[in-house]
Amino acid sequence: MKTIYKKLLFLLLLLPFSILAQNTLNGVVLDKVSGQPIPGVNVNVQGASNGVSTDFDGKYQLSNVKKGDKVVFSFIGYKNTVVNFDSQKALSVSLEEDSNQLKEVVIQVGYGTVKKKDATGAVTVLTSKDFNKGPVTSADQMIQGKVAGLQIINGGGSPGVDPVIRIRSGSSLSANNDPLYVIDGIPVANGGVEGGRNPLATINQNNIESISVLKDASATAIYGSRASNGVIIITTKKGKSGELKVSYNANLQVSEITKKVDALSSTQFRDFVAANGNAAQQALVGAANTDWQKEIYRTAIGTDHNIALSGGTDNVVYRASVGYANLSGILKRDNVERTTLGANVTGNFLDKHLKIEFNNNTSLINSNYSNNGAIGGAVGFDPTQPVRNADGTYFQWLTSPTEINQLAGVNPVSLIEQQNNYGGFYRSLGNVQVDYKMHFLPELKAVANFGYDEMSGTGYGNTAADYRNGLKGSGYNNSYKNIESRNNKLMDLYLNYNKKIESIATQFDVTGGYSYQDFKESKHKSGYNFENNLTTEELFTPTRINLQSFFARTNITIADKYLVTMSYRRDGTSRFTPEYRWSNFPAVAVAWKVNEENFLKDVTTISSLKLRGGWGITGQQNIGNPYPSIPLYLASNSAAQYQLGNTFYTTYRPQPYNSNLKWEQTTTVNAGVDFGLFNNRITGTIDAYQRTTKDLLLFTDNPAFFGFSNADNYNIGTIDNKGIELAAEVVPVRTANLEWTIGGNITFQDSKITKLTTTQDNTPGITDVGGIDGGTGNYIQNHQVGYSPNTFLVYEQAYGADGKPLDGIFIDRNKDGVVNADDKYRFHKPAADVFYAFNTSVTYKNWDMGMNWRGSWGNFNYNNVDSNKGVYNNVLTRNTDLNNGVANLLETGFAKSNDLQLHSDYYIQNASFIRLDNVSVGYTFNQKPNSSSLVKLTLAAQNVLIITKYSGLDPEISGGIDKNLYPRPITFTLGLNVNF
């Protein structure tokens, strides 16, 4: 007994020493290649249940570590690192990327997430490492050229200009072809309001964590009625637990114009008038030598700043940011100021059974819209006239000292300096999402998402008192004010059950729920005519659109090899009558992870191989008009009232409607392959698709004496889209100090109209599209069966033996002896047959360099600048004033503008191009040991080079009609990133 007591006493004496032997280990976890800290790394003693995670600075503190313990560092996307503890006080570790794990990216899909390796649809996810670098101010600029099948064309060089975004070329003719944007779980309305800019620029680019692009119906059908044109899901950054982390990003931008329209110089203009003008016109030639394009453009400077704070505890994390950008365009006075506020708070409660997440992104934008009419005006204004007269007033064409020449062009500098066009815009986008895992059944989760998107804006302006010398009919001292607001409310309620049944090695992920979304819009426009002391009010009735949906989806994974996704959505819209209000949108997809089969498991060269196939139906009802199928009356404005005696009465007119309108439906079939080779040093995706859209929503002509307008909306026709998409990335070199990556994508696409008929009586005609400058009411494009949408409809130009076009001579194609509209033919199209992108990046120690190229082939433009300003009689129109022309008139010798000349196929030009989109070089400064702070400088250039045969200003024109494009400048950017 005494022996036992002695042993116990001995153990008690040893206990304090054993306790003292329990050490605390500190350190920092870094990325082996970049040297940057990694937050969220799991650090624990092997075999122990307790552990810690690194904070936002990559720091950790692990307690109760004994000599001889094995400390494990693990994080998704990196190889595990195990270190023997030998009583060190500090231990810093560099983790190496695991190329296999890196492919297990989590993709945001409708009402949930899925690992990329388990995705069955055509989905691409981009994160910060994939985004474009340089002067990027909106989500669309971050991903331009990065996704096969996704084409983004910005609207010109103005800051914050709206882009045209198409996924797989769009599915409609006159309905909306924009993809659906989902921002932090909120499907938002397309377009903006008065006084606004690009709606995608309202989300600060520094706050975006990832962007997922959903392309085929099996991926998008869960969004039903709004997903015919694909879905782009934007997820903003969230906070991480740990100490307060501060991040500051800033850049300075300088932009210059690189190419101008080839207008006649003052010397060429004088020679032309002397050779072709009459005495009166020759007498109008001035003594100045004015380059009007030089007068309206400038070197533009912009700045962009953003600061973010984040941190939190194990249960509650937060992130908040504020940004300010002041960006000027190369057109004088063009400017946009943007202030953004972002906030996110996420809390986990009840032993992580309850998760509550709050997101908000608010933006304030003030704009000075310089008068874009000056762009075309600078090309067409007489270069022999001065900017200002000797008395300091702007030169203008007058018919007498007291009378303005109403038919003449306006001094383009005065258009900018004497016309004010301003805008004020506010947007707040936010949501609260509550996730609750049932205590009695943790596999079952209930989710409630309540969101809103509010936009309001005011566009206002005036003309100066001395505009066009303040003469009668000049519009001096006039003013206007337009107010518009939109309100979007969302409620999503759904259940999710996720359970793996081990006995059959099958995972079930089942989601079902209800969605309610309500859109309201109101606007008011007013204008004041100073000369007549008249205020005109334009009345608008507030509108409302309501969408309600029931949806369900099941993901089944069998043996981690065989994947099945089934979804169904039933959508209802207030746009249609009750008979056609609801429609069903099913989808199914399957995938086979071939590399998980035994016959490939030992093939080390194949890292991953997945075959995919999918089918689905999506819908479309967004045709702009909120009430296209309901009989309504419109009240007249104050300028169209009816007078009886001394009283003016408001009149009402019936609005056009079609009570038989129904859903446009798109059926998509998709087959794809995802692969990775040589430890994922080579990865890629191949997709082939075919989409058929029936019951096309088309705004087209009414038959004579039919309806309450010349045109209306109809369900008419079918369009087929098909294409092949290829994307790949190769890492030729990857060492501790050097990594070189090459990536690219290419898309082959073809669209054809296969039917343009309706079973209803009084079949409407097919409206010409693509309005052009020159003449009145002229169009250059047309929809017809067997051709691509918007194909050019033109006359065939005749050419001489010298290869030059013959003035006024066209081919009589039907050989009836007369050249008229029956001789028009369809000639090329604006959509590209192929578009592609190529990128490469190199990281060497602290240096990194990136380059992105982009291009298209098979797309054609109508050069409306040459057709409108490239004829003699547009220069020598009257004896009271002169207009400038473009150099093309010296090449063609076309004498006068008419319907034949404007519709000549001579002006349909190959617009294929290759563009060096951006180049960037960055340097990350060495930090002190164990420091988590980061300082990085980046120098970038955007729109560096373009190679093309197109004779116009820029071949990249959405819609294929080149009028007066705001030139895209070359922009140099110096960027600073600081984390501490």
Side-chain angles (χ1 to χ4, degrees):
M1 195 68 157
K2 289 183 179 179
T3 303
I4 295 175
Y5 285 146
K6 288 179 181 178
K7 291 180 178 179
L8 288 173
L9 179 61
F10 181 72
L11 290 173
L12 287 172
L13 291 172
L14 286 177
L15 183 61
F17 295 97
S18 65
I19 293 175
L20 290 174
Q22 305 281 332
N23 294 282
T24 298
L25 181 63
N26 300 282
V28 178
V29 181
L30 305 172
D31 181 282
K32 187 174 182 179
V33 175
S34 68
Q36 297 185 22
I38 309 174
V41 176
N42 298 312
V43 185
N44 65 291
V45 175
Q46 195 172 63
S49 59
N50 63 316
V52 297
S53 298
T54 58
D55 62 18
F56 202 77
D57 300 325
K59 297 178 180 178
Y60 71 91
Q61 186 177 76
L62 182 64
S63 303
N64 301 326
V65 189
K66 302 189 299 294
K67 184 176 181 179
D69 282 346
K70 294 184 182 296
V71 182
V72 182
F73 299 82
S74 61
F75 188 63
I76 186 169
Y78 291 83
K79 294 178 180 178
N80 289 356
T81 298
V82 181
V83 180
N84 288 322
F85 179 69
D86 192 24
S87 302
Q88 305 101 312
K89 293 298 182 183
L91 177 62
S92 293
V93 174
S94 295
L95 296 186
E96 183 180 356
E97 290 182 349
D98 186 331
S99 56
N100 289 316
Q101 286 194 43
L102 283 173
K103 300 306 173 185
E104 295 189 16
V105 178
V106 175
I107 300 172
Q108 295 287 335
V109 295
Y111 312 103
T113 60
V114 64
K115 289 182 178 179
K116 185 175 181 179
K117 69 183 183 67
D118 295 332
T120 57
V123 181
T124 300
V125 60
L126 301 172
T127 59
S128 57
K129 67 182 180 63
D130 307 305
F131 294 150
N132 289 322
K133 308 298 188 293
V136 172
T137 56
S138 61
D140 54 281
Q141 295 175 347
M142 299 171 77
I143 61 175
Q144 189 174 30
K146 291 291 187 176
V147 181
L150 174 66
Q151 191 170 31
I152 300 175
I153 302 175
N154 60 43
S158 179
V161 68
D162 287 347
V164 175
I165 301 177
R166 296 291 179 264
I167 297 176
R168 294 184 168 178
S169 72
S171 61
S172 300
L173 289 181
S174 57
N176 192 295
N177 271 312
D178 292 335
L180 169 66
Y181 302 102
V182 180
I183 303 175
D184 284 335
I186 306 173
V188 299
N190 297 102
V193 296
E194 290 281 350
R197 297 264 184 165
N198 175 10
L200 290 178
T202 61
I203 306 299
N204 192 297
Q205 71 280 2
N206 295 290
N207 293 338
I208 295 177
E209 178 73 23
S210 68
I211 299 177
S212 297
V213 181
L214 284 56
K215 296 184 284 188
D216 73 334
S218 67
T220 64
I222 192 68
Y223 287 109
S225 66
R226 305 175 64 188
S228 281
N229 299 299
V231 180
I232 295 179
I233 300 177
I234 300 172
T235 303
T236 58
K237 294 177 180 177
K238 308 297 187 287
K240 295 181 175 66
S241 61
E243 297 178 356
L244 175 65
K245 177 70 177 179
V246 180
S247 176
Y248 172 72
N249 299 283
N251 68 58
L252 171 67
Q253 305 176 14
V254 179
S255 301
E256 288 274 3
I257 189 170
T258 57
K259 185 178 180 181
K260 302 172 185 175
V261 174
D262 193 10
L264 297 181
S265 68
S266 56
T267 300
Q268 289 174 313
F269 182 81
R270 286 190 179 92
D271 292 344
F272 178 83
V273 176
N276 300 283
N278 58 36
Q281 292 167 337
Q282 293 173 3
L284 295 173
V285 175
N289 297 293
T290 305
D291 183 344
W292 289 103
Q293 293 183 83
K294 183 178 179 180
E295 294 295 333
I296 65 170
Y297 295 123
R298 65 182 176 184
T299 297
I301 297 176
T303 59
D304 190 1
H305 305 268
N306 186 80
I307 187 167
L309 297 87
S310 63
T313 65
D314 288 340
N315 292 331
V316 178
V317 295
Y318 64 88
R319 187 180 189 275
S321 69
V322 59
Y324 173 77
N326 188 324
L327 307 174
S328 293
I330 57 172
L331 185 65
K332 289 180 177 178
R333 296 192 69 193
D334 187 19
N335 178 265
V336 57
E337 286 187 83
R338 181 189 70 177
T339 303
T340 58
L341 302 171
N344 163 266
V345 179
T346 303
N348 287 286
F349 310 101
L350 304 179
D351 196 25
K352 296 191 176 181
H353 277 259
L354 177 63
K355 177 182 176 182
I356 301 176
E357 181 176 331
F358 164 80
N359 297 289
N360 179 265
N361 287 280
T362 297
S363 58
L364 300 167
I365 297 178
N366 292 312
S367 298
N368 186 341
Y369 302 104
S370 187
N371 192 330
N372 284 11
I375 295 173
V379 176
F381 207 75
D382 181 353
T384 66
Q385 305 302 335
V387 176
R388 292 179 182 269
N389 299 313
D391 60 1
T393 60
Y394 286 103
F395 172 84
Q396 303 287 1
W397 289 109
L398 307 175
T399 54
S400 73
T402 59
E403 186 177 3
I404 200 78
N405 187 337
Q406 298 285 359
L407 299 177
V410 180
N411 184 319
V413 177
S414 75
L415 284 175
I416 292 175
E417 299 295 343
Q418 294 187 298
Q419 286 194 354
N420 300 313
N421 299 282
Y422 302 112
F425 173 83
Y426 165 83
R427 185 181 196 180
S428 182
L429 173 74
N431 72 309
V432 176
Q433 181 167 310
V434 180
D435 298 21
Y436 177 65
K437 289 192 298 184
M438 307 297 177
H439 278 77
F440 62 89
L441 187 61
E443 297 86 359
L444 181 62
K445 178 174 68 174
V447 180
N449 182 31
F450 303 94
Y452 73 94
D453 181 13
E454 290 188 356
M455 288 188 284
S456 61
T458 302
Y460 59 99
N462 65 286
T463 52
D466 59 345
Y467 176 63
R468 301 186 77 177
N469 298 350
L471 298 177
K472 182 180 179 180
S474 65
Y476 70 96
N477 257 350
N478 290 350
S479 62
Y480 71 93
K481 187 174 184 179
N482 303 327
I483 302 172
E484 185 177 7
S485 65
R486 287 185 176 186
N487 182 278
N488 166 14
K489 293 181 179 178
L490 168 76
M491 179 181 70
D492 291 330
L493 304 172
Y494 58 94
L495 294 173
N496 174 260
Y497 179 79
N498 196 321
K499 173 77 172 178
K500 184 172 184 179
I501 302 177
E502 298 290 349
S503 60
I504 58 174
T506 301
Q507 181 95 24
F508 291 93
D509 185 352
V510 182
T511 300
Y514 167 77
S515 179
Y516 175 96
Q517 199 158 14
D518 198 65
F519 302 87
K520 294 181 180 179
E521 181 178 2
S522 63
K523 54 185 172 181
H524 176 265
K525 294 184 177 182
S526 63
Y528 175 66
N529 185 298
F530 177 81
E531 191 174 340
N532 297 320
N533 191 26
L534 176 65
T535 298
T536 302
E537 302 280 343
E538 191 171 353
L539 302 178
F540 293 89
T541 302
T543 61
R544 179 183 180 187
I545 300 170
N546 188 264
L547 300 175
Q548 298 186 40
S549 310
F550 299 91
F551 59 88
R553 180 180 58 219
T554 300
N555 294 322
I556 303 173
T557 304
I558 303 171
D560 200 28
K561 301 177 187 177
Y562 315 111
L563 311 168
V564 179
T565 299
M566 296 176 289
S567 68
Y568 170 82
R569 182 164 177 136
R570 180 167 174 79
D571 269 331
T573 175
S574 62
R575 271 195 168 98
F576 303 145
T577 59
E579 183 179 358
Y580 300 107
R581 181 159 294 165
W582 291 87
S583 192
N584 304 311
F585 304 103
V588 62
V590 295
W592 176 25
K593 293 195 281 187
V594 186
N595 61 292
E596 296 294 334
E597 297 290 353
N598 292 331
F599 60 82
L600 277 184
K601 276 200 169 183
D602 295 330
V603 181
T604 57
T605 56
I606 299 178
S607 309
S608 62
L609 179 61
K610 181 172 64 176
L611 306 181
R612 296 178 282 105
W615 167 92
I617 300 175
T618 51
Q620 170 71 284
Q621 49 83 45
N622 187 3
I623 52 178
N625 183 355
Y627 309 116
S629 57
I630 304 172
L632 296 173
Y633 288 86
L634 177 68
S636 65
N637 60 30
S638 57
Q641 291 179 321
Y642 191 81
Q643 183 178 5
L644 289 176
N646 294 323
T647 304
F648 291 84
Y649 293 91
T650 298
T651 59
Y652 293 84
R653 71 164 186 240
Q655 292 292 91
Y657 73 97
N658 180 357
S659 58
N660 294 311
L661 276 184
K662 59 183 178 180
W663 291 88
E664 176 181 291
Q665 293 193 347
T666 300
T667 301
T668 303
V669 178
N670 192 97
V673 180
D674 302 326
F675 61 89
L677 305 173
F678 306 108
N679 199 26
N680 281 322
R681 295 284 287 270
I682 301 175
T683 57
T685 298
I686 303 173
D687 275 286
Y689 67 89
Q690 180 163 349
R691 302 196 306 177
T692 300
T693 303
K694 67 176 185 178
D695 296 325
L696 282 167
L697 288 165
L698 182 65
F699 186 77
T700 188
D701 292 335
N702 277 325
F705 310 110
F706 182 84
F708 296 112
S709 68
N710 294 330
D712 204 349
N713 291 291
Y714 290 87
N715 289 105
I716 171 174
T718 304
I719 184 172
D720 282 347
N721 297 322
K722 57 185 177 182
I724 298 174
E725 302 165 353
L726 302 103
E729 183 177 274
V730 180
V731 185
V733 180
R734 176 181 284 161
T735 66
N737 293 323
L738 175 65
E739 180 169 318
W740 178 26
T741 302
I742 303 172
N745 61 77
I746 185 168
T747 301
F748 303 86
Q749 62 179 8
D750 182 48
S751 298
K752 275 192 173 54
I753 299 169
T754 56
K755 184 180 178 182
L756 280 178
T757 59
T758 175
T759 58
Q760 300 175 19
D761 295 333
N762 297 314
T763 300
I766 304 305
T767 304
D768 289 337
V769 292
I772 59 175
D773 292 339
T776 302
N778 280 311
Y779 297 89
I780 197 67
Q781 296 168 337
N782 181 268
H783 298 315
Q784 188 53 272
V785 173
Y787 295 89
S788 296
N790 305 301
T791 296
F792 297 108
L793 184 63
V794 291
Y795 293 103
E796 184 178 357
Q797 180 73 50
Y799 292 83
D802 58 359
K804 291 186 176 181
L806 298 174
D807 186 19
I809 308 299
F810 295 86
I811 303 300
D812 179 14
R813 291 179 63 89
N814 63 1
K815 303 186 185 305
D816 63 355
V818 178
V819 176
N820 55 24
D822 294 335
D823 292 296
K824 284 184 177 181
Y825 75 111
R826 289 169 178 83
F827 184 60
H828 294 306
K829 56 183 174 52
D833 294 319
V834 181
F835 61 91
Y836 52 88
F838 163 81
N839 63 81
T840 184
S841 63
V842 177
T843 302
Y844 177 70
K845 294 185 177 180
N846 294 42
W847 291 92
D848 61 84
M849 187 276 287
M851 180 187 303
N852 295 292
W853 294 80
R854 190 168 49 82
S856 67
W857 179 84
N859 51 303
F860 286 75
N861 285 344
Y862 172 73
N863 193 330
N864 199 188
V865 176
D866 281 359
S867 69
N868 187 39
K869 293 183 170 68
V871 292
Y872 284 29
N873 72 335
N874 280 354
V875 177
L876 306 170
T877 306
R878 292 170 293 273
N879 292 332
T880 56
D881 59 274
L882 298 172
N883 297 311
N884 198 9
V886 293
N888 181 253
L889 68 82
L890 303 179
E891 299 170 12
T892 64
F894 287 172
K896 60 181 180 180
S897 177
N898 54 37
D899 181 71
L900 292 168
Q901 174 266 331
L902 284 169
H903 291 86
S904 170
D905 63 4
Y906 169 78
Y907 297 111
I908 308 300
Q909 300 178 4
N910 189 339
S912 303
F913 70 92
I914 302 174
R915 186 190 300 272
L916 177 52
D917 243 357
N918 56 69
V919 178
S920 65
V921 177
Y923 181 80
T924 303
F925 290 88
N926 286 319
Q927 306 301 300
K928 295 179 180 180
N930 299 327
S931 173
S932 62
S933 61
L934 170 71
V935 178
K936 181 178 180 179
L937 283 176
T938 303
L939 181 64
Q942 186 182 57
N943 193 30
V944 181
L945 171 71
I946 188 164
I947 302 170
T948 183
K949 293 181 179 180
Y950 181 62
S951 67
L953 184 67
D954 193 314
E956 196 170 10
I957 306 288
S958 176
I961 300 176
D962 183 6
K963 296 182 180 179
N964 296 305
L965 179 72
Y966 191 128
R968 297 183 177 99
I970 185 171
T971 301
F972 300 95
T973 304
L974 178 63
L976 171 67
N977 303 90
V978 181
N979 295 331
F980 54 91

